[in-house]
Amino acid sequence: MASELNDAIFVAKQERHKNLFLNYRNLNIFPVELLKDEGLQFLERLYMKRNSLTTLPDNLAQKLPNLIELYLHSNNIAFIPQAIGNLARLQSLDLSDNALQVICPEIGRLRSLRHLRLSNNQLKCLPQELGYLKELETLDVSMNLLRTLPEQLHQCVSLQCLTADRNLLQCLPRQLCQLPDLNELSVAANCLRSLPLDLGRSMELQFVFVDNNVHLKGLPSYLYNKVIGCNGCGVTPHVSDVTQLSLTIGDMNVPLPSEVKAIGTEADRVLTLEEMAMRALHVAYSRNMKGSWGSPELIPGILGHKAGDTLDRVPTHYRAQSLTHSHTRSKTTGNLEMPISLQHVFVGEETGVPGGNPRSMGRTCKLCTQDKDSALLPTFLLPTSLFELFECPLGHCHRCSQLMFTIVYPKLFRLRDTALAGVHRRTTVSFVAYCCSSQCLQMFDLQS
């Protein structure tokens, strides 16, 4: 067996093969012959499926610098060396069916990577550095032990297919809704109780599979015209969770995403001050500020508040300045508006102390208008939770597309009342429309 292996590697070196097949070789260690002398500088594809490898060599990138595809499916690999990040040309990496418990952050250095397969391992978390993979198109992390997905995945702007079936996911980060090219999302057989409000709003997303999430009882109404799989959803009674709001109508109880702070009803006539202030800030930013939404400038050292503080705990003189200059009321419409003279708004947090090292400060968001002659306004202070919502709101109103930050007006549409009732028989799921006001709630019709 060893002589056959050496002969195959020798021929590949002599004839400058671009593909090398070493599947089913019962290898316990990475072949030394592959790493001798200059290695295989011309090799582009290496297949080593169904062996017994436990790790990879640190000098893999040095000896195989032009590797484009690396297939290591069905081995016993328990960890990946940091040097994996040196494979600058790698486009496809298959580590499915191994013994991985952690993925090193250096995987984020594979800037050419387009396909990453990590299914059937023992992963409990994924590195945030996956967000650096701007060319990534396919990510498969099914059959692991994941409870969450990294929020930074929304930075993988080329991602088209995300598969995370058979994990322990209880929720999905709402940032996933920002993926511009996502076409297929599969999160079947998890522990999901709710889905992000905006899931399905993108025209690119066409296939969503959430089958066998037994506690999932509500689907965002944006999914109504998509190809969806929801069999086996909502088949067990909801386990009460005091930290998660739910919508109850008759005998239906649908958990809402944990970020939702309040539920509005048709009887409401006035928005909360908190929601009005957040919407006013967004209007000011989108109309008067430089830069694009979702890409604030981070400025260290701007005085804010300690992480975890609520607005009530912020010093009074700061709160007074913020509320005094945060909004005015239009005489014509009666709606809250930001002053036209607004030049800067700082929305941020402080993890250091006043006068300390600026590098110890938390991030601060600086928003600027085109008008450089406008007066500088005092710092706006927001609790950490609201700052995160400012960066990524709860979602858009299903009727008028108004952004929502703290409160939603949900409306249930039972599956049996829709055209899809005959397609999904083994489920008790309903569609939920999320609106921004009682007026939109009354006017929204799922099938119109």
Side-chain angles (χ1 to χ4, degrees), residues 241-353:
D241 186 345
V242 295
T243 65
Q244 193 168 7
L245 293 176
S246 61
L247 173 64
T248 302
I249 298 180
D251 59 342
M252 294 294 297
N253 183 276
V254 178
L256 302 182
S258 58
E259 300 95 336
V260 175
K261 301 179 67 175
I263 299 176
T265 68
E266 292 189 13
D268 294 343
R269 292 295 179 265
V270 180
L271 280 175
T272 62
L273 179 60
E274 189 175 55
E275 180 71 14
M276 293 172 72
M278 293 294 286
R279 295 185 187 183
L281 279 175
H282 171 255
V283 170
Y285 181 87
S286 61
R287 292 184 179 179
N288 298 322
M289 306 301 174
K290 295 179 181 178
S292 59
W293 172 252
S295 302
E297 181 181 354
L298 302 182
I299 307 296
I302 302 299
L303 180 61
H305 70 286
K306 294 181 180 179
D309 277 357
T310 63
L311 191 59
D312 293 337
R313 292 173 58 187
V314 176
T316 304
H317 63 285
Y318 284 128
R319 285 191 283 121
Q321 290 175 343
S322 298
L323 293 176
T324 299
H325 296 278
S326 63
H327 57 265
T328 58
R329 185 171 296 278
S330 168
K331 295 182 179 179
T332 56
T333 64
N335 296 326
L336 288 178
E337 297 178 347
M338 295 300 299
I340 301 301
S341 61
L342 179 64
Q343 181 182 14
H344 294 82
V345 177
F346 298 99
V347 182
E349 56 189 349
E350 172 192 311
T351 55
V353 295

Side-chain angles (χ1 to χ4, degrees), residues 198-436:
D198 269 357
L199 188 64
R201 187 170 186 267
S202 168
M203 297 297 293
E204 293 297 324
L205 186 60
Q206 293 296 318
F207 305 91
V208 177
F209 302 102
V210 292
D211 303 85
N212 298 316
N213 283 277
V214 295
H215 298 301
L216 182 63
K217 295 190 174 184
L219 303 178
S221 61
Y222 283 126
L223 296 178
Y224 179 67
N225 292 320
K226 310 290 184 178
V227 177
I228 59 174
C230 59
N231 285 325
C233 290
V235 296
T236 62
H238 172 60
V239 179
S240 61
D241 186 345
V242 295
T243 65
Q244 193 168 7
L245 293 176
S246 61
L247 173 64
T248 302
I249 298 180
D251 59 342
M252 294 294 297
N253 183 276
V254 178
L256 302 182
S258 58
E259 300 95 336
V260 175
K261 301 179 67 175
I263 299 176
T265 68
E266 292 189 13
D268 294 343
R269 292 295 179 265
V270 180
L271 280 175
T272 62
L273 179 60
E274 189 175 55
E275 180 71 14
M276 293 172 72
M278 293 294 286
R279 295 185 187 183
L281 279 175
H282 171 255
V283 170
Y285 181 87
S286 61
R287 292 184 179 179
N288 298 322
M289 306 301 174
K290 295 179 181 178
S292 59
W293 172 252
S295 302
E297 181 181 354
L298 302 182
I299 307 296
I302 302 299
L303 180 61
H305 70 286
K306 294 181 180 179
D309 277 357
T310 63
L311 191 59
D312 293 337
R313 292 173 58 187
V314 176
T316 304
H317 63 285
Y318 284 128
R319 285 191 283 121
Q321 290 175 343
S322 298
L323 293 176
T324 299
H325 296 278
S326 63
H327 57 265
T328 58
R329 185 171 296 278
S330 168
K331 295 182 179 179
T332 56
T333 64
N335 296 326
L336 288 178
E337 297 178 347
M338 295 300 299
I340 301 301
S341 61
L342 179 64
Q343 181 182 14
H344 294 82
V345 177
F346 298 99
V347 182
E349 56 189 349
E350 172 192 311
T351 55
V353 295
N357 184 350
R359 293 183 180 274
S360 69
M361 297 295 186
R363 57 182 178 175
T364 300
C365 178
K366 178 182 180 183
L367 310 178
C368 305
T369 63
Q370 300 285 356
D371 186 4
K372 295 182 180 180
D373 297 328
S374 299
L376 177 65
L377 289 176
T379 300
F380 277 89
L381 300 172
L382 290 178
T384 304
S385 59
L386 291 184
F387 177 74
E388 293 172 350
L389 286 170
F390 187 83
E391 289 187 304
C392 183
L394 285 178
H396 294 74
C397 175
H398 284 207
R399 182 180 182 276
C400 72
S401 294
Q402 164 70 50
L403 279 173
M404 300 175 290
F405 296 89
T406 62
I407 186 171
V408 297
Y409 292 77
K411 186 174 185 178
L412 274 179
F413 295 88
R414 295 173 183 265
L415 182 64
R416 65 168 180 253
D417 298 330
T418 71
L420 294 176
V423 179
H424 301 284
R425 300 178 184 276
R426 193 173 60 89
T427 184
T428 59
V429 76
S430 298
F431 288 100
V432 186
Y434 297 94
C435 297
C436 67

Side-chain angles (χ1 to χ4, degrees), residues 144-189:
N144 279 283
L145 304 172
L146 300 173
R147 294 186 179 273
T148 60
L149 295 177
E151 295 178 0
Q152 283 74 6
L153 275 183
H154 80 278
Q155 298 174 4
C156 299
V157 293
S158 300
L159 193 61
Q160 298 176 17
C161 181
L162 173 58
T163 305
D165 299 335
R166 299 187 182 182
N167 278 279
L168 303 173
L169 299 175
Q170 296 185 5
C171 62
L172 298 178
R174 63 184 184 279
Q175 289 83 354
L176 290 183
C177 301
Q178 299 176 359
L179 287 168
D181 293 334
L182 188 64
N183 177 259
E184 180 176 331
L185 174 65
S186 186
V187 285

